[in-house]
Amino acid sequence: MLKIAVITASDRAYKGEYKDLSGPKIKEIINNSNIDAEVSLFIVPDEKEKIKKVIEKKIGVDYIITTGGTGISPRDVTPEVTESICTRELPGISEMLRMESYKETKNALFSRAFSGVKENTIIINFPGSVKAVAFCTKLVIPILEHGIKMLYGGKH
């Protein structure tokens, strides 16, 4: 069973100004897939230290998927935090997410999402919108199990 932590980075959702829909959407799609996974949800404000703290606390699960904070606004800091934590980059995942998302919306080019590895955890940044996370989750589901096998030294 895969253990997946989904972290939503959003000032407004953290303050309760609106309900987080992106994190629960990721969980719903994973739970409705053929992947055997335990998904936990977390919400943090768009603050470097708070995002870093919750990501570091969750190192040890198989995957951390973040949603939000990948754009170009001044408060979008999730990719910088993720890159500072990871010891190895997985550029192919982020490139694929941007390339496929671009086919849906040209605005995907403004995504600065990062993917990488810290110890035995793979971290993937998703955009923040519900539509985008639904799309991105469906794109990564086919690679989740293989990624963990490879991380633990499995063969191709």
Side-chain angles (χ1 to χ4, degrees), residues 93-110:
I93 294 173
S94 299
E95 291 165 3
M96 181 268 298
L97 292 175
R98 272 187 287 276
M99 181 180 67
E100 293 301 317
S101 296
Y102 176 77
K103 295 174 184 175
E104 297 292 311
T105 175
K106 305 302 181 217
N107 295 335
L109 293 178
F110 292 104

Side-chain angles (χ1 to χ4, degrees), residues 114-126:
F114 183 90
S115 299
V117 175
K118 171 70 172 186
E119 298 174 13
N120 290 322
T121 299
I122 296 172
I123 305 171
I124 305 171
N125 297 156
F126 283 177

Side-chain angles (χ1 to χ4, degrees), residues 3-9 20-31 37-44 54-55 58 61-68 121-128 133 137 140 144:
K3 293 195 183 308
I4 302 171
V6 176
I7 301 168
T8 299
D20 173 32
L21 300 176
S22 296
K25 179 54 85 174
I26 295 168
K27 182 176 182 174
E28 173 191 326
I29 292 169
I30 292 171
N31 287 344
E38 176 185 303
V39 182
S40 52
L41 301 175
F42 305 89
I43 302 174
V44 295
V54 74
I55 289 175
K58 292 292 141 198
V61 299
D62 298 307
Y63 282 91
I64 296 172
I65 298 174
T66 69
T67 173
T121 299
I122 296 172
I123 305 171
I124 305 171
N125 297 156
F126 283 177
V133 299
T137 303
V140 300
L144 294 178

Side-chain angles (χ1 to χ4, degrees), residues 13-14 26-27 46 68 83 116 132 141:
Y14 182 77
I26 295 168
K27 182 176 182 174
D46 290 303
E83 186 173 8
I141 282 175

